[in-house]
Amino acid sequence: MAAALAQVQQRTGRFVLDGLAAVGRFAALIVEIGRGLAEPKVWLPRTFAEAHNIGIGSLFIVLLISAFAGGVTALQAGYQFTGNIPIYVVGAIVTQSIVLELGPVLVGLILAGRIGARYAAELGTMRVTEQIDALESLGRSPASHLLLPKVLACLLMIPVLVVFADVVALLSGWFAAKQALPITDQDFAYGARVFWRPFDAYYSIIKAAFFALTIGLVSCYYGYMTRFGAAGVGRSTTGAVVSSSVLILLLDLVLAKLLLVP
């Protein structure tokens, strides 16, 4: 019994120490990325190239999923709230659900898989093939050449994609509601306006910015810290996607508590 307890304590201690070490490495990476800001001639053109890849490469899948999400939200709202409740409430539910929650969260989770996996795999491959080591041996900073452009590109483009997703989801929800429910354009528009607050749009963009930083930093961390060859690249890619997704959901809860709950 004593031996089993000692083994549990040993594993717990190792887990805590490994977690603290990971936090320290992550903080050191953020500091290194911050130092890379001193070389704008290096990271600025690379940032625009990365932003172009994120925006153009992700636009179709983001808009497609947003369109389906808006339509489904409208149909489910109509199913649950028609009857004794005024029909214009469907417009309010669709608008609030999409702008406050579905738009930023869905886009964040989609891009955690698409962009996070890509960045982790790219940097992990460069690490295990010693390309990053070669860059450092030439006196070049991996932060300004590789990491900072990716983080800034996420911060620049993901909020823009969220805005597009919100608009498309609202339009598709409007269209679906009109096709399936006895609701007019005036009813839907009235419902969308009656509970609308200007801060709702800002809240959606704020969430998108936090999600963008999470995806960029976490995926860069996992890729940059990759070890042990091709198997390590696979583990880093999986870890980046899973960790980014979990942190997005955690941030979603924290931001709602801080910004929406009085």
Side-chain angles (χ1 to χ4, degrees):
M1 183 67 180
L5 181 59
Q7 189 175 13
V8 170
Q9 292 175 340
Q10 184 180 11
R11 291 179 178 177
T12 303
R14 186 181 298 113
F15 176 78
V16 172
L17 291 176
D18 290 343
L20 293 175
V23 171
R25 290 192 297 267
F26 187 72
L29 184 68
I30 293 176
V31 172
E32 189 65 25
I33 291 174
R35 290 175 180 170
L37 290 170
E39 299 180 280
K41 292 182 179 180
V42 175
W43 56 259
L44 191 59
R46 297 172 183 270
T47 298
F48 286 116
E50 293 287 352
H52 179 270
N53 291 333
I54 292 176
I56 300 301
S58 306
L59 185 60
F60 175 75
I61 185 64
V62 166
L63 297 185
L64 179 65
I65 293 178
S66 299
F68 282 115
V72 170
T73 302
L75 296 178
Q76 290 182 347
Y79 169 75
Q80 293 175 338
F81 293 99
T82 52
N84 297 325
I85 298 177
I87 192 64
Y88 69 81
V89 173
V90 172
I93 293 171
V94 171
T95 303
Q96 295 295 305
S97 299
I98 289 171
V99 174
L100 294 179
E101 184 66 18
L102 290 179
V105 172
L106 278 179
V107 172
L109 293 176
I110 292 166
L111 296 183
R114 187 183 184 279
I115 304 302
R118 176 192 161 195
Y119 282 175
E122 180 182 328
L123 291 171
T125 302
M126 294 182 70
R127 171 62 77 183
V128 300
T129 57
E130 300 182 350
Q131 295 180 53
I132 294 179
D133 296 334
L135 191 65
E136 292 174 334
S137 69
L138 294 174
R140 306 291 180 84
S141 170
S144 57
H145 282 74
L146 301 175
L147 306 180
L148 184 59
K150 290 177 169 52
V151 175
L152 291 179
C154 288
L155 188 58
L156 180 65
M157 290 308 302
I158 291 179
V160 175
L161 291 172
V162 167
V163 172
F164 277 105
D166 288 345
V167 172
V168 170
L170 286 174
L171 293 176
S172 67
W174 193 330
F175 178 79
K178 284 188 61 180
Q179 299 304 310
L181 303 171
I183 186 172
T184 64
D185 291 338
Q186 291 75 18
D187 289 334
F188 192 95
Y190 175 76
R193 292 195 307 267
V194 69
F195 296 110
W196 177 259
R197 300 175 183 176
F199 179 72
D200 295 346
Y202 296 119
Y203 176 74
S204 184
I205 296 174
I206 290 170
K207 287 175 68 170
F210 275 93
F211 296 166
L213 279 175
T214 299
I215 294 169
L217 290 173
V218 170
S219 59
C220 285
Y221 168 78
Y222 273 93
Y224 193 73
M225 297 297 172
T226 299
R227 297 291 186 274
F228 309 119
V233 174
R235 286 194 296 269
S236 295
T237 303
T238 303
V241 174
V242 172
S243 298
S244 297
S245 300
V246 171
L247 287 174
I248 284 172
L249 296 176
L250 178 61
L251 280 172
D252 186 35
L253 175 64
V254 172
L255 291 173
K257 174 62 178 176
L258 292 178
L259 300 179
L260 295 183
V261 179

